[in-house]
Amino acid sequence: MLTGRSPSTASVERARPDVAVIGAGPIGLAIAWRCAARGLRVVVHDPAPGSGASAVAAGMLAPVAEAYFGERQLTELLVASAARWPEFAAELTEATGAELGYRTEGTLMVGLTGDDLAEARRLWAYQQGLGLPVTPLRPTELRHREPALAPRVRGGAFAPTDHQIDPRMLVPALRTAAQRAGAVVVSQAVRRLADVDARVTVVAAGCGAAALTGLPVRPVKGQILRLRAPGGVTPGFRHVIRGYADGDPVYLVPRADGEVVLGATVEERSDTSVTAGAVQRLLRAGVDLLPDLAEYDLVEAVAGLRPGTPDNAPILGPLPGRPDVLAATGHHRHGIVLTPITADLIADLVTTGVPDPLLAPFGADRFGGVRVPSGAVGRGVPGGSELTTEEDLWS
């Protein structure tokens, strides 16, 4: 168990932090903030803080729309974390004075064609069976909420508790909060766990966690577009819209400043190139649902890497045989929504040494045979490129 340092103890152990966090994305910074606020000496390592896939992510807080078949335990964690977001956002704004782009209009889930609607209804029935708040809507009811939806849209549902945050506002705010609480951010890569000297090390390195820890975390590529309403006015719709358009899944996230985030592909690839085919498919699906988007400016097309795991759930807690090394990675599509609960659970584990029961389904030992590589270095080793240590988030 780690507790805050007394002045005399702190002077003796000044050179050795209580907690070293590898990765300065939302997960790593939130953990650093929570630990530093408890009086622990915290150092965060990242060669380029805030430059990873969190700068690409849409920021949907969507425990309902992201509830998929066979992922019940993950859904429970998503719901629990989403419930913490209002207080978490308020606390972060109070600590920093920063605007976060937190919006609570809810999410509309839609189907463009009859086949799209049939597929969507199958998922909605599953979500309702879990007790999640999903309200089916007829086409007229959908367009009452969002008149800009295409007349072709066959039907939909409303998820009132699925909200949004702007990750490009969130990450700087978390860094400010962590530093004001006393955490130190060091712009350097970590190539081996042996190079880190701390009482507890937290690996929040996204896809980079695989090389450091031997965990089965793989990159899952996602391409995403950013549009802007003509003249920079507020977009012509309020809700986050998620749906299917001729079989293609798509989401549209409106920002108050006129931006619309349109995404996203899911590709078992590790490159970050943007392809013409992906741009074409995303634009077609988006315009099919919201025809006015055809007049919006296309201002950005980017790709990022989600940290995926074999069961699509995060890896949280100590590495097998290494109680001094905690994993907080593998969040795949859910890094932003899971930021509050991950930070709380890991900070509690650091300070008490007692794992919360919520961690049990997400331990590293569920995969079996995980061994920390003694000489692990970054991708492209030996002598290759530096490890990408920002938490690769996508949601």
Side-chain angles (χ1 to χ4, degrees):
M1 179 176 72
L2 300 185
T3 58
R5 309 284 88 195
S6 66
S8 58
T9 304
S11 63
V12 172
E13 299 186 359
R14 185 180 299 112
R16 191 181 192 218
D18 295 308
V19 183
V21 179
I22 305 174
I27 296 292
L29 290 171
I31 292 170
W33 177 32
R34 291 308 200 203
C35 288
R38 300 178 188 204
L40 300 179
R41 178 177 169 83
V42 180
V43 176
V44 183
H45 299 269
D46 196 309
S51 64
S54 58
V56 179
M60 291 176 293
L61 311 176
V64 175
E66 291 280 356
Y68 290 112
F69 303 103
E71 297 180 355
R72 183 163 189 154
Q73 290 176 318
L74 174 58
T75 297
E76 291 172 354
L77 190 69
L78 293 172
V79 170
S81 192
R84 301 187 187 202
W85 255 105
E87 183 177 350
F88 183 80
E91 185 179 351
L92 185 55
T93 296
E94 182 178 358
T96 64
E99 170 60 44
L100 304 175
Y102 182 53
R103 296 180 59 173
T104 61
E105 289 89 343
T107 293
L108 291 177
M109 302 178 289
V110 303
L112 180 67
T113 69
D115 288 343
D116 293 331
L117 186 58
E119 179 66 21
R121 281 174 171 165
R122 179 170 167 266
L123 183 59
W124 301 338
Y126 168 74
Q127 293 162 345
Q128 288 177 313
L130 295 179
L132 300 176
V134 177
T135 303
L137 300 174
R138 295 187 297 273
T140 53
E141 294 173 314
L142 275 176
R143 276 181 282 278
H144 177 74
R145 288 183 175 271
E146 289 294 358
L149 280 168
R152 290 179 57 205
V153 172
R154 295 291 298 273
F158 181 50
T161 59
D162 279 12
H163 300 157
Q164 65 154 299
I165 198 84
D166 188 340
R168 294 184 175 183
M169 296 178 174
L170 173 66
V171 173
L174 284 170
R175 180 172 181 175
T176 298
Q179 290 176 316
R180 288 183 178 177
V184 176
V185 179
V186 179
S187 297
Q188 67 181 46
V190 173
R191 294 179 174 274
R192 302 180 305 170
L193 290 178
D195 294 336
V196 179
D197 182 22
R199 298 172 67 196
V200 173
T201 299
V202 179
V203 181
C207 296
L212 281 171
T213 64
L215 293 170
V217 180
R218 74 188 191 284
V220 181
K221 178 180 177 180
Q223 300 184 56
I224 194 167
L225 310 179
R226 279 177 166 79
L227 313 177
R228 187 162 295 279
V233 300
T234 302
F237 62 105
R238 302 184 297 119
H239 301 81
V240 173
I241 295 174
R242 302 177 63 114
Y244 299 93
D246 284 322
D248 285 333
V250 67
Y251 59 71
L252 301 106
V253 183
R255 306 277 197 231
D257 66 354
E259 181 180 85
V260 173
V261 184
L262 170 61
T265 67
V266 179
E267 307 168 53
E268 293 292 338
R269 298 177 60 91
S270 59
D271 65 277
T272 55
S273 60
V274 175
T275 64
V279 173
Q280 188 272 336
R281 288 194 301 275
L282 290 171
L283 286 174
R284 181 202 59 78
V287 172
D288 279 351
L289 294 180
L290 284 168
D292 289 350
L293 289 184
E295 303 302 320
Y296 283 41
D297 299 330
L298 175 59
V299 297
E300 186 177 79
V302 290
L305 300 175
R306 312 169 180 92
T309 65
D311 58 7
N312 295 328
I315 304 172
L316 306 173
L319 300 188
R322 290 293 304 271
D324 60 322
V325 180
L326 308 181
T329 188
H331 290 76
H332 196 25
R333 301 183 307 270
H334 312 298
I336 302 297
V337 66
L338 289 177
T339 292
I341 202 164
T342 299
D344 290 342
L345 293 176
I346 296 298
D348 286 346
L349 183 57
V350 167
T351 53
T352 69
V354 179
D356 189 289
L358 284 172
L359 290 171
F362 307 106
D365 56 356
R366 73 186 190 269
F367 300 114
V370 175
R371 295 181 59 190
V372 179
S374 60
V377 295
R379 290 187 294 230
V381 297
S385 62
E386 289 195 341
L387 181 69
T388 299
T389 56
E390 173 157 0
E391 174 70 31
D392 291 321
L393 302 176
W394 199 277
S395 67

